[in-house]
Amino acid sequence: MKRMLLITSFLLSLPTFAFASEQNYNKLLPLTKKYIGVPYQFGGSSEKGFDCSGFTRYVMEELDVELARSTAGQYKQGKAVKKSELRVGDLVFFETYKKGPSHTGIYIGNDRFIHADSSKGVLISNLNDPYYWGPRYIGARRVLAYEKKLGEFHDVSDQFWAEKEIESLAKEEKMIGYEKSYFKPDEAMTRAEAAGMLAEYLNLKMNDRKQTFKDVPSDHWAVGAINALVKEEIISADDDMYRPDEALTREEVAVLFTRAFQLKRGDREITFTDIDPQYWAYDFIHRLADAGIAAGDENGHFRPKETVTRAQFAVFFYRAMNVK
C-alpha cells in the first residue's frame, strides 16, 4: 500500500506538458500571402516590417514550428532537401552579399518562393530566376513534419473511396493536409479552409488584411483569402459575421462553387425532393448538380444543411476543377 502511495505521489508530482494540436498545413499559403507588400525592415519581425529570417520565423510560428532568428541558424534546422523534391513550406536559402546562407524564404510550389526582399519587401520570386536567385541558390531545409511521399497520407488507403481525388489534389499541393502526413478525411471542412483553397486556386491577391467581418480579425490566417473572395463577390459581406471555424454545408458548397467556377445551368432536369423551387439556394444547387459536381442520395434528397467532410470537399473540388 505504501509503495502504491509513493508511486501515485511521484506521478502527481511530474510536470505536465501542453501539446499543440496537429497543424493544418493548408493554412500556410494564405498565411504567407496575406503579408505580400509588407516593407523590408532590417531586424524586423512583425507585420510592420520584416527581414528575411524574421518573416520565415514569424510565419512558421503560426504552425507551431520554432525557427532560429538568423538565416544561418535556420540553415542548420530541419533536414536537407534536394531541389527536385521541394514541397510547400520548405525553407530555401541563397548566398547573396556574403559567403554562406544570407537570405531565406518559403517555397510555395511551382518553382516560386515568398520572402522579404531587402528592396521590395514581402513578395513572390522565381527560384530559378537566371539573373539573380537561380545562381545564388545553395539549398533547402524541411522544417514541416512530412512523413509520407507527396500525395500520400497515413489515413487514406488505396481502397479509400476518395483516394484518387485526394491524391491528385495533394500531388498538385492544392490540398496539403495536416502535419505528419495526415489528411483527416472524415473531419468537417471549415468555411475558412474552403475560402483559403478557393482563393489560392483562383490565384487571387490575398494581402488585404482589413477586418471585414467581426469574427475574422486582421491577424486571422485566412483574412486575406476571405477578403479576396468578398472582392470577387464569391462571398457576400452582407452579414457582419463569417463564422470561419464552422463546418461548411452542402448548400454553401453550391454557392461558393457556382460563383468561383462560374457554373451554368444545363439542360438536364434534376429534381431534389427536399429542395423547393422557392428555396434560396435552389438555383445554386441545381447548377452544382448540372455540372456533375454533386448529386442527391438514393431517395432523391440533396440534404442542403448537411456538413461536408474534407474527403467530400476534395471530391467536389476535383470535379469542379475538371468541369468541361
Side-chain angles (χ1 to χ4, degrees):
M1 182 66 178
K2 286 182 179 180
R3 186 179 178 184
M4 287 297 295
L5 288 172
L6 285 171
I7 293 173
T8 303
S9 176
F10 171 73
L11 291 173
L12 290 173
S13 68
L14 286 174
T16 57
F17 299 91
F19 294 95
S21 59
E22 290 179 342
Q23 284 292 332
N24 183 347
Y25 287 164
N26 271 105
K27 294 165 54 175
L28 181 61
L29 295 179
L31 176 62
T32 59
K33 291 184 177 182
K34 76 173 188 170
Y35 297 117
I36 289 177
V38 170
Y40 180 87
Q41 179 181 322
F42 182 75
S45 57
S46 75
E47 57 187 67
K48 293 181 179 180
F50 293 109
D51 63 15
C52 65
S53 58
F55 175 67
T56 53
R57 187 171 189 264
Y58 188 86
V59 167
M60 287 300 175
E61 278 183 350
E62 291 286 322
L63 298 179
D64 292 331
V65 176
E66 186 175 345
L67 294 181
R69 180 58 186 87
S70 69
T71 297
Q74 292 180 13
Y75 193 58
K76 298 175 183 177
Q77 294 184 260
K79 65 178 183 178
V81 183
K82 294 179 181 178
K83 193 176 184 180
S84 61
E85 297 176 357
L86 286 171
R87 294 177 66 170
V88 167
D90 288 339
L91 301 181
V92 289
F93 295 88
F94 306 85
E95 186 175 274
T96 55
Y97 67 92
K98 64 179 181 179
K99 189 173 180 59
S102 55
H103 189 75
T104 185
I106 300 171
Y107 185 71
I108 60 171
N110 297 317
D111 294 327
R112 300 170 303 148
F113 69 104
I114 188 167
H115 60 123
D117 183 90
S118 59
S119 59
K120 299 179 181 178
V122 178
L123 79 168
I124 295 172
S125 297
N126 191 307
L127 196 64
N128 300 315
D129 170 20
Y131 301 104
Y132 194 80
W133 298 114
R136 289 168 172 80
Y137 176 82
I138 59 172
R141 309 291 295 186
R142 180 158 298 159
V143 295
L144 297 185
Y146 290 126
E147 293 184 352
K148 302 277 282 183
K149 294 179 181 179
L150 184 66
E152 296 180 0
F153 299 96
H154 290 295
D155 52 354
V156 179
S157 70
D158 292 342
Q159 289 73 43
F160 187 67
W161 69 274
E163 187 273 339
K164 181 188 77 171
E165 292 85 356
I166 291 172
E167 180 186 31
S168 177
L169 291 170
K171 283 186 174 180
E172 295 181 25
E173 296 186 285
K174 289 182 170 59
M175 289 189 78
I176 302 171
Y178 284 75
E179 65 177 295
K180 299 181 180 179
S181 297
Y182 283 90
F183 189 80
K184 301 194 176 184
D186 298 322
E187 286 200 359
M189 187 72 183
T190 70
R191 289 163 57 85
E193 286 180 279
M197 291 181 195
L198 286 175
E200 176 63 24
Y201 175 74
L202 297 171
N203 196 29
L204 303 180
K205 292 182 179 180
M206 292 185 258
N207 59 342
D208 180 359
R209 301 191 303 279
K210 72 180 180 183
Q211 183 167 357
T212 301
F213 299 97
K214 290 181 179 179
D215 54 353
V216 186
S218 61
D219 62 352
H220 191 283
W221 68 268
V223 64
I226 291 168
N227 283 338
L229 293 180
V230 169
K231 184 177 181 180
E232 295 297 318
E233 299 183 343
I234 295 170
I235 290 176
S236 171
D238 292 341
D239 194 346
D240 61 1
M241 304 289 282
Y242 181 70
R243 307 183 306 282
D245 298 323
E246 281 191 12
L248 193 69
T249 64
R250 287 169 59 86
E251 64 185 6
E252 289 170 340
V253 168
V255 175
L256 285 174
F257 280 30
T258 293
R259 292 171 175 168
F261 295 96
Q262 300 180 348
L263 302 179
K264 308 296 183 183
R265 281 294 295 265
D267 298 327
R268 293 192 300 162
E269 283 295 327
I270 301 175
T271 302
F272 297 112
T273 56
D274 57 344
I275 305 293
D276 187 272
Q278 305 306 314
Y279 188 62
W280 74 272
Y282 177 85
D283 186 62
F284 296 111
I285 290 168
H286 274 265
R287 288 174 188 246
L288 193 76
D290 282 341
I293 297 170
D297 61 19
E298 64 276 7
N299 297 314
H301 297 156
F302 184 78
R303 308 187 306 277
K305 300 293 185 183
E306 186 173 287
T307 57
V308 175
T309 66
R310 289 170 54 81
Q312 290 168 339
F313 185 86
V315 172
F316 295 152
F317 195 17
Y318 176 85
R319 290 173 180 169
M321 287 167 49
N322 292 283
V323 168
K324 296 180 180 179

Short mmCIF file of all heavy atoms in Angstrom, two decimals, residues 206-258:
data_model
loop_
_atom_site.label_atom_id
_atom_site.label_comp_id
_atom_site.label_asym_id
_atom_site.label_seq_id
_atom_site.Cartn_x
_atom_site.Cartn_y
_atom_site.Cartn_z
N MET A 206 -4.21 38.08 -51.91
CA MET A 206 -4.68 37.82 -50.55
C MET A 206 -4.03 38.72 -49.51
O MET A 206 -3.94 38.36 -48.35
CB MET A 206 -4.44 36.35 -50.20
CG MET A 206 -5.28 35.38 -50.98
SD MET A 206 -5.07 33.66 -50.43
CE MET A 206 -4.00 33.03 -51.70
N ASN A 207 -3.57 39.89 -49.91
CA ASN A 207 -2.84 40.73 -48.96
C ASN A 207 -3.66 41.87 -48.37
O ASN A 207 -3.12 42.80 -47.77
CB ASN A 207 -1.58 41.30 -49.62
CG ASN A 207 -1.87 42.14 -50.85
OD1 ASN A 207 -2.95 42.06 -51.43
ND2 ASN A 207 -0.91 42.95 -51.25
N ASP A 208 -4.98 41.80 -48.53
CA ASP A 208 -5.86 42.77 -47.86
C ASP A 208 -6.19 42.22 -46.48
O ASP A 208 -6.96 41.26 -46.35
CB ASP A 208 -7.13 42.98 -48.69
CG ASP A 208 -8.09 43.98 -48.04
OD1 ASP A 208 -7.77 44.49 -46.94
OD2 ASP A 208 -9.16 44.23 -48.62
N ARG A 209 -5.62 42.83 -45.44
CA ARG A 209 -5.78 42.31 -44.08
C ARG A 209 -6.79 43.11 -43.25
O ARG A 209 -6.84 42.94 -42.03
CB ARG A 209 -4.41 42.29 -43.37
CG ARG A 209 -3.37 41.45 -44.07
CD ARG A 209 -2.13 41.24 -43.21
NE ARG A 209 -1.51 42.48 -42.78
CZ ARG A 209 -0.69 43.21 -43.53
NH1 ARG A 209 -0.41 42.84 -44.78
NH2 ARG A 209 -0.15 44.32 -43.05
N LYS A 210 -7.59 43.92 -43.90
CA LYS A 210 -8.58 44.69 -43.13
C LYS A 210 -9.65 43.76 -42.56
O LYS A 210 -9.90 42.67 -43.10
CB LYS A 210 -9.22 45.75 -44.01
CG LYS A 210 -10.18 45.20 -45.05
CD LYS A 210 -10.78 46.31 -45.89
CE LYS A 210 -11.75 45.75 -46.95
NZ LYS A 210 -12.28 46.79 -47.83
N GLN A 211 -10.28 44.17 -41.49
CA GLN A 211 -11.32 43.36 -40.87
C GLN A 211 -12.67 43.67 -41.50
O GLN A 211 -13.25 44.72 -41.27
CB GLN A 211 -11.37 43.60 -39.35
CG GLN A 211 -12.39 42.71 -38.65
CD GLN A 211 -12.24 42.71 -37.14
OE1 GLN A 211 -11.34 43.33 -36.60
NE2 GLN A 211 -13.13 42.00 -36.47
N THR A 212 -13.14 42.74 -42.31
CA THR A 212 -14.44 42.88 -42.97
C THR A 212 -15.55 42.29 -42.12
O THR A 212 -16.67 42.82 -42.08
CB THR A 212 -14.41 42.19 -44.35
OG1 THR A 212 -13.38 42.78 -45.15
CG2 THR A 212 -15.74 42.34 -45.07
N PHE A 213 -15.25 41.18 -41.45
CA PHE A 213 -16.23 40.51 -40.59
C PHE A 213 -15.76 40.60 -39.13
O PHE A 213 -14.56 40.56 -38.85
CB PHE A 213 -16.36 39.03 -40.99
CG PHE A 213 -16.85 38.83 -42.40
CD1 PHE A 213 -15.96 38.60 -43.44
CD2 PHE A 213 -18.20 38.88 -42.69
CE1 PHE A 213 -16.40 38.41 -44.74
CE2 PHE A 213 -18.66 38.69 -43.98
CZ PHE A 213 -17.76 38.46 -45.02
N LYS A 214 -16.72 40.70 -38.22
CA LYS A 214 -16.39 40.85 -36.80
C LYS A 214 -15.61 39.67 -36.25
O LYS A 214 -14.82 39.82 -35.31
CB LYS A 214 -17.68 41.03 -35.99
CG LYS A 214 -18.38 42.36 -36.20
CD LYS A 214 -19.63 42.46 -35.34
CE LYS A 214 -20.32 43.81 -35.52
NZ LYS A 214 -21.56 43.90 -34.68
N ASP A 215 -15.81 38.48 -36.83
CA ASP A 215 -15.15 37.29 -36.31
C ASP A 215 -13.94 36.86 -37.15
O ASP A 215 -13.42 35.76 -36.99
CB ASP A 215 -16.14 36.13 -36.20
CG ASP A 215 -16.87 35.83 -37.52
OD1 ASP A 215 -16.70 36.62 -38.48
OD2 ASP A 215 -17.60 34.84 -37.58
N VAL A 216 -13.48 37.74 -38.04
CA VAL A 216 -12.26 37.47 -38.81
C VAL A 216 -11.33 38.68 -38.64
O VAL A 216 -11.31 39.58 -39.49
CB VAL A 216 -12.55 37.22 -40.30
CG1 VAL A 216 -11.25 36.82 -41.03
CG2 VAL A 216 -13.59 36.12 -40.47
N PRO A 217 -10.59 38.73 -37.55
CA PRO A 217 -9.70 39.87 -37.31
C PRO A 217 -8.54 39.90 -38.30
O PRO A 217 -8.29 38.93 -39.03
CB PRO A 217 -9.20 39.63 -35.87
CG PRO A 217 -9.31 38.15 -35.68
CD PRO A 217 -10.52 37.72 -36.47
N SER A 218 -7.82 41.00 -38.30
CA SER A 218 -6.73 41.18 -39.28
C SER A 218 -5.60 40.17 -39.09
O SER A 218 -4.83 39.94 -40.01
CB SER A 218 -6.18 42.60 -39.20
OG SER A 218 -5.67 42.86 -37.91
N ASP A 219 -5.49 39.58 -37.90
CA ASP A 219 -4.43 38.60 -37.68
C ASP A 219 -4.88 37.16 -37.94
O ASP A 219 -4.11 36.22 -37.74
CB ASP A 219 -3.86 38.72 -36.26
CG ASP A 219 -4.88 38.45 -35.17
OD1 ASP A 219 -6.08 38.31 -35.49
OD2 ASP A 219 -4.49 38.39 -33.99
N HIS A 220 -6.11 36.97 -38.41
CA HIS A 220 -6.58 35.62 -38.73
C HIS A 220 -5.85 35.11 -39.96
O HIS A 220 -5.63 35.85 -40.93
CB HIS A 220 -8.09 35.65 -38.99
CG HIS A 220 -8.72 34.29 -39.07
ND1 HIS A 220 -8.62 33.47 -40.18
CD2 HIS A 220 -9.46 33.59 -38.17
CE1 HIS A 220 -9.27 32.35 -39.97
NE2 HIS A 220 -9.79 32.38 -38.76
N TRP A 221 -5.47 33.84 -39.96
CA TRP A 221 -4.67 33.30 -41.07
C TRP A 221 -5.36 33.40 -42.42
O TRP A 221 -4.72 33.51 -43.46
CB TRP A 221 -4.28 31.85 -40.79
CG TRP A 221 -5.42 30.87 -40.80
CD1 TRP A 221 -6.18 30.47 -39.74
CD2 TRP A 221 -5.94 30.16 -41.94
NE1 TRP A 221 -7.14 29.57 -40.14
CE2 TRP A 221 -7.01 29.35 -41.47
CE3 TRP A 221 -5.60 30.13 -43.29
CZ2 TRP A 221 -7.73 28.53 -42.31
CZ3 TRP A 221 -6.33 29.30 -44.14
CH2 TRP A 221 -7.39 28.51 -43.65
N ALA A 222 -6.71 33.38 -42.43
CA ALA A 222 -7.45 33.37 -43.70
C ALA A 222 -8.05 34.73 -44.04
O ALA A 222 -8.83 34.82 -45.00
CB ALA A 222 -8.54 32.31 -43.66
N VAL A 223 -7.71 35.78 -43.31
CA VAL A 223 -8.35 37.08 -43.55
C VAL A 223 -8.14 37.55 -44.99
O VAL A 223 -9.07 38.07 -45.62
CB VAL A 223 -7.85 38.14 -42.54
CG1 VAL A 223 -6.36 38.43 -42.72
CG2 VAL A 223 -8.66 39.42 -42.67
N GLY A 224 -6.94 37.38 -45.53
CA GLY A 224 -6.67 37.82 -46.89
C GLY A 224 -7.45 37.03 -47.92
O GLY A 224 -7.95 37.59 -48.92
N ALA A 225 -7.56 35.72 -47.70
CA ALA A 225 -8.30 34.86 -48.63
C ALA A 225 -9.79 35.21 -48.60
O ALA A 225 -10.44 35.30 -49.65
CB ALA A 225 -8.10 33.40 -48.26
N ILE A 226 -10.32 35.40 -47.42
CA ILE A 226 -11.75 35.74 -47.28
C ILE A 226 -12.04 37.08 -47.93
O ILE A 226 -13.02 37.24 -48.68
CB ILE A 226 -12.15 35.71 -45.79
CG1 ILE A 226 -12.11 34.28 -45.27
CG2 ILE A 226 -13.54 36.33 -45.59
CD1 ILE A 226 -12.22 34.15 -43.76
N ASN A 227 -11.20 38.07 -47.67
CA ASN A 227 -11.40 39.38 -48.29
C ASN A 227 -11.28 39.31 -49.81
O ASN A 227 -11.99 40.03 -50.53
CB ASN A 227 -10.39 40.38 -47.74
CG ASN A 227 -10.76 40.86 -46.34
OD1 ASN A 227 -11.91 40.80 -45.94
ND2 ASN A 227 -9.78 41.34 -45.60
N ALA A 228 -10.39 38.46 -50.31
CA ALA A 228 -10.24 38.32 -51.75
C ALA A 228 -11.51 37.77 -52.38
O ALA A 228 -11.93 38.20 -53.46
CB ALA A 228 -9.05 37.40 -52.06
N LEU A 229 -12.14 36.80 -51.71
CA LEU A 229 -13.38 36.23 -52.23
C LEU A 229 -14.54 37.22 -52.12
O LEU A 229 -15.44 37.21 -52.96
CB LEU A 229 -13.71 34.94 -51.49
CG LEU A 229 -12.74 33.77 -51.72
CD1 LEU A 229 -13.17 32.54 -50.93
CD2 LEU A 229 -12.62 33.42 -53.20
N VAL A 230 -14.51 38.07 -51.10
CA VAL A 230 -15.52 39.12 -50.99
C VAL A 230 -15.39 40.09 -52.17
O VAL A 230 -16.38 40.47 -52.79
CB VAL A 230 -15.38 39.88 -49.65
CG1 VAL A 230 -16.25 41.14 -49.65
CG2 VAL A 230 -15.78 38.99 -48.48
N LYS A 231 -14.16 40.47 -52.47
CA LYS A 231 -13.91 41.41 -53.57
C LYS A 231 -14.41 40.84 -54.89
O LYS A 231 -14.93 41.59 -55.74
CB LYS A 231 -12.42 41.71 -53.66
CG LYS A 231 -12.07 42.74 -54.72
CD LYS A 231 -10.59 43.07 -54.72
CE LYS A 231 -10.26 44.12 -55.78
NZ LYS A 231 -8.81 44.45 -55.79
N GLU A 232 -14.28 39.52 -55.08
CA GLU A 232 -14.74 38.88 -56.32
C GLU A 232 -16.22 38.52 -56.27
O GLU A 232 -16.74 37.89 -57.20
CB GLU A 232 -13.91 37.61 -56.57
CG GLU A 232 -12.44 37.86 -56.85
CD GLU A 232 -12.20 38.66 -58.10
OE1 GLU A 232 -12.87 38.39 -59.11
OE2 GLU A 232 -11.33 39.56 -58.06
N GLU A 233 -16.89 38.89 -55.17
CA GLU A 233 -18.31 38.61 -54.96
C GLU A 233 -18.62 37.12 -54.95
O GLU A 233 -19.70 36.69 -55.34
CB GLU A 233 -19.16 39.34 -56.01
CG GLU A 233 -19.01 40.86 -55.96
CD GLU A 233 -19.90 41.59 -56.94
OE1 GLU A 233 -20.40 40.93 -57.88
OE2 GLU A 233 -20.11 42.80 -56.76
N ILE A 234 -17.65 36.34 -54.51
CA ILE A 234 -17.87 34.90 -54.31
C ILE A 234 -18.43 34.67 -52.91
O ILE A 234 -19.23 33.78 -52.68
CB ILE A 234 -16.55 34.14 -54.53
CG1 ILE A 234 -16.11 34.27 -55.99
CG2 ILE A 234 -16.70 32.66 -54.15
CD1 ILE A 234 -14.72 33.76 -56.27
N ILE A 235 -18.01 35.51 -51.98
CA ILE A 235 -18.54 35.54 -50.63
C ILE A 235 -19.27 36.87 -50.46
O ILE A 235 -18.78 37.91 -50.88
CB ILE A 235 -17.43 35.42 -49.57
CG1 ILE A 235 -16.85 34.01 -49.56
CG2 ILE A 235 -17.94 35.78 -48.18
CD1 ILE A 235 -15.68 33.84 -48.62
N SER A 236 -20.43 36.81 -49.83
CA SER A 236 -21.19 38.03 -49.57
C SER A 236 -20.77 38.65 -48.24
O SER A 236 -20.54 37.94 -47.26
CB SER A 236 -22.69 37.71 -49.54
OG SER A 236 -23.42 38.84 -49.09
N ALA A 237 -20.67 39.97 -48.22
CA ALA A 237 -20.32 40.68 -46.98
C ALA A 237 -21.56 41.32 -46.35
O ALA A 237 -21.44 42.21 -45.51
CB ALA A 237 -19.27 41.74 -47.27
N ASP A 238 -22.75 40.84 -46.75
CA ASP A 238 -23.99 41.41 -46.19
C ASP A 238 -24.11 41.13 -44.70
O ASP A 238 -24.65 41.95 -43.95
CB ASP A 238 -25.20 40.83 -46.92
CG ASP A 238 -25.27 41.30 -48.37
OD1 ASP A 238 -24.62 42.32 -48.69
OD2 ASP A 238 -25.95 40.65 -49.18
N ASP A 239 -23.62 39.97 -44.27
CA ASP A 239 -23.64 39.62 -42.85
C ASP A 239 -22.35 40.13 -42.22
O ASP A 239 -21.30 40.15 -42.86
CB ASP A 239 -23.73 38.09 -42.70
CG ASP A 239 -24.09 37.67 -41.29
OD1 ASP A 239 -24.00 38.52 -40.38
OD2 ASP A 239 -24.43 36.50 -41.09
N ASP A 240 -22.41 40.54 -40.94
CA ASP A 240 -21.20 41.03 -40.30
C ASP A 240 -20.39 39.92 -39.63
O ASP A 240 -19.35 40.18 -39.02
CB ASP A 240 -21.51 42.13 -39.28
CG ASP A 240 -22.42 41.65 -38.15
OD1 ASP A 240 -22.79 40.45 -38.15
OD2 ASP A 240 -22.75 42.47 -37.27
N MET A 241 -20.84 38.66 -39.77
CA MET A 241 -20.12 37.51 -39.23
C MET A 241 -19.88 36.50 -40.36
O MET A 241 -20.77 36.25 -41.18
CB MET A 241 -20.91 36.84 -38.11
CG MET A 241 -21.29 37.76 -36.96
SD MET A 241 -19.88 38.24 -35.93
CE MET A 241 -19.70 36.75 -34.95
N TYR A 242 -18.66 35.93 -40.38
CA TYR A 242 -18.37 34.92 -41.40
C TYR A 242 -18.40 33.50 -40.84
O TYR A 242 -18.62 32.56 -41.58
CB TYR A 242 -16.99 35.19 -42.04
CG TYR A 242 -16.66 34.19 -43.12
CD1 TYR A 242 -17.35 34.19 -44.33
CD2 TYR A 242 -15.69 33.20 -42.92
CE1 TYR A 242 -17.08 33.26 -45.32
CE2 TYR A 242 -15.41 32.26 -43.92
CZ TYR A 242 -16.11 32.30 -45.09
OH TYR A 242 -15.84 31.37 -46.06
N ARG A 243 -18.16 33.34 -39.56
CA ARG A 243 -18.13 32.04 -38.89
C ARG A 243 -17.06 31.14 -39.52
O ARG A 243 -17.35 30.06 -40.05
CB ARG A 243 -19.50 31.37 -38.94
CG ARG A 243 -20.62 32.24 -38.42
CD ARG A 243 -21.97 31.54 -38.40
NE ARG A 243 -22.33 30.99 -39.69
CZ ARG A 243 -22.80 31.70 -40.71
NH1 ARG A 243 -22.99 33.00 -40.60
NH2 ARG A 243 -23.10 31.12 -41.85
N PRO A 244 -15.80 31.57 -39.49
CA PRO A 244 -14.72 30.86 -40.20
C PRO A 244 -14.47 29.43 -39.73
O PRO A 244 -14.04 28.60 -40.54
CB PRO A 244 -13.49 31.74 -39.94
CG PRO A 244 -13.81 32.46 -38.67
CD PRO A 244 -15.27 32.72 -38.74
N ASP A 245 -14.74 29.15 -38.47
CA ASP A 245 -14.44 27.82 -37.94
C ASP A 245 -15.63 26.87 -37.99
O ASP A 245 -15.51 25.71 -37.59
CB ASP A 245 -13.93 27.93 -36.50
CG ASP A 245 -12.63 28.71 -36.41
OD1 ASP A 245 -11.80 28.58 -37.32
OD2 ASP A 245 -12.45 29.47 -35.44
N GLU A 246 -16.75 27.35 -38.51
CA GLU A 246 -17.91 26.47 -38.64
C GLU A 246 -17.74 25.54 -39.83
O GLU A 246 -17.06 25.85 -40.80
CB GLU A 246 -19.19 27.29 -38.82
CG GLU A 246 -19.73 27.86 -37.53
CD GLU A 246 -21.14 28.43 -37.70
OE1 GLU A 246 -21.78 28.18 -38.75
OE2 GLU A 246 -21.59 29.14 -36.78
N ALA A 247 -18.38 24.39 -39.74
CA ALA A 247 -18.32 23.41 -40.83
C ALA A 247 -19.09 23.92 -42.04
O ALA A 247 -20.16 24.52 -41.93
CB ALA A 247 -18.89 22.08 -40.37
N LEU A 248 -18.53 23.68 -43.20
CA LEU A 248 -19.16 24.04 -44.46
C LEU A 248 -20.32 23.09 -44.73
O LEU A 248 -20.23 21.89 -44.45
CB LEU A 248 -18.12 23.93 -45.58
CG LEU A 248 -18.42 24.53 -46.94
CD1 LEU A 248 -18.43 26.05 -46.86
CD2 LEU A 248 -17.37 24.07 -47.95
N THR A 249 -21.41 23.60 -45.28
CA THR A 249 -22.56 22.75 -45.62
C THR A 249 -22.63 22.54 -47.13
O THR A 249 -21.99 23.25 -47.91
CB THR A 249 -23.88 23.38 -45.14
OG1 THR A 249 -24.08 24.62 -45.85
CG2 THR A 249 -23.84 23.64 -43.64
N ARG A 250 -23.45 21.57 -47.52
CA ARG A 250 -23.56 21.25 -48.94
C ARG A 250 -24.15 22.43 -49.73
O ARG A 250 -23.72 22.70 -50.87
CB ARG A 250 -24.43 20.00 -49.12
CG ARG A 250 -23.73 18.73 -48.70
CD ARG A 250 -24.68 17.53 -48.63
NE ARG A 250 -25.35 17.24 -49.87
CZ ARG A 250 -24.85 16.49 -50.87
NH1 ARG A 250 -23.65 15.96 -50.74
NH2 ARG A 250 -25.55 16.25 -51.96
N GLU A 251 -25.10 23.14 -49.17
CA GLU A 251 -25.66 24.28 -49.89
C GLU A 251 -24.64 25.42 -50.00
O GLU A 251 -24.61 26.15 -51.00
CB GLU A 251 -26.94 24.77 -49.22
CG GLU A 251 -26.77 25.32 -47.82
CD GLU A 251 -28.10 25.67 -47.17
OE1 GLU A 251 -29.16 25.38 -47.77
OE2 GLU A 251 -28.09 26.23 -46.05
N GLU A 252 -23.76 25.55 -49.00
CA GLU A 252 -22.71 26.57 -49.08
C GLU A 252 -21.67 26.21 -50.14
O GLU A 252 -21.14 27.10 -50.82
CB GLU A 252 -22.06 26.74 -47.71
CG GLU A 252 -22.96 27.43 -46.70
CD GLU A 252 -22.42 27.40 -45.28
OE1 GLU A 252 -21.56 26.53 -44.98
OE2 GLU A 252 -22.87 28.22 -44.46
N VAL A 253 -21.39 24.93 -50.29
CA VAL A 253 -20.52 24.49 -51.38
C VAL A 253 -21.14 24.89 -52.72
O VAL A 253 -20.45 25.37 -53.63
CB VAL A 253 -20.29 22.97 -51.33
CG1 VAL A 253 -19.63 22.48 -52.62
CG2 VAL A 253 -19.42 22.59 -50.15
N ALA A 254 -22.43 24.69 -52.84
CA ALA A 254 -23.12 25.03 -54.09
C ALA A 254 -22.96 26.51 -54.42
O ALA A 254 -22.68 26.88 -55.58
CB ALA A 254 -24.60 24.66 -53.98
N VAL A 255 -23.12 27.35 -53.42
CA VAL A 255 -23.00 28.80 -53.64
C VAL A 255 -21.56 29.16 -54.01
O VAL A 255 -21.31 29.86 -55.00
CB VAL A 255 -23.44 29.58 -52.39
CG1 VAL A 255 -23.19 31.07 -52.59
CG2 VAL A 255 -24.92 29.33 -52.11
N LEU A 256 -20.61 28.71 -53.21
CA LEU A 256 -19.20 29.03 -53.45
C LEU A 256 -18.73 28.56 -54.82
O LEU A 256 -18.09 29.30 -55.57
CB LEU A 256 -18.32 28.41 -52.36
CG LEU A 256 -18.33 29.05 -50.98
CD1 LEU A 256 -17.53 28.21 -50.00
CD2 LEU A 256 -17.77 30.46 -51.03
N PHE A 257 -19.04 27.32 -55.16
CA PHE A 257 -18.55 26.76 -56.41
C PHE A 257 -19.24 27.37 -57.62
O PHE A 257 -18.61 27.56 -58.67
CB PHE A 257 -18.70 25.24 -56.40
CG PHE A 257 -17.62 24.52 -55.63
CD1 PHE A 257 -16.98 25.11 -54.55
CD2 PHE A 257 -17.24 23.25 -55.99
CE1 PHE A 257 -15.99 24.46 -53.85
CE2 PHE A 257 -16.24 22.57 -55.30
CZ PHE A 257 -15.62 23.18 -54.22
N THR A 258 -20.53 27.65 -57.50
CA THR A 258 -21.24 28.28 -58.62
C THR A 258 -20.59 29.61 -58.97
O THR A 258 -20.36 29.93 -60.14
CB THR A 258 -22.72 28.50 -58.27
OG1 THR A 258 -23.37 27.23 -58.15
CG2 THR A 258 -23.43 29.30 -59.36
#
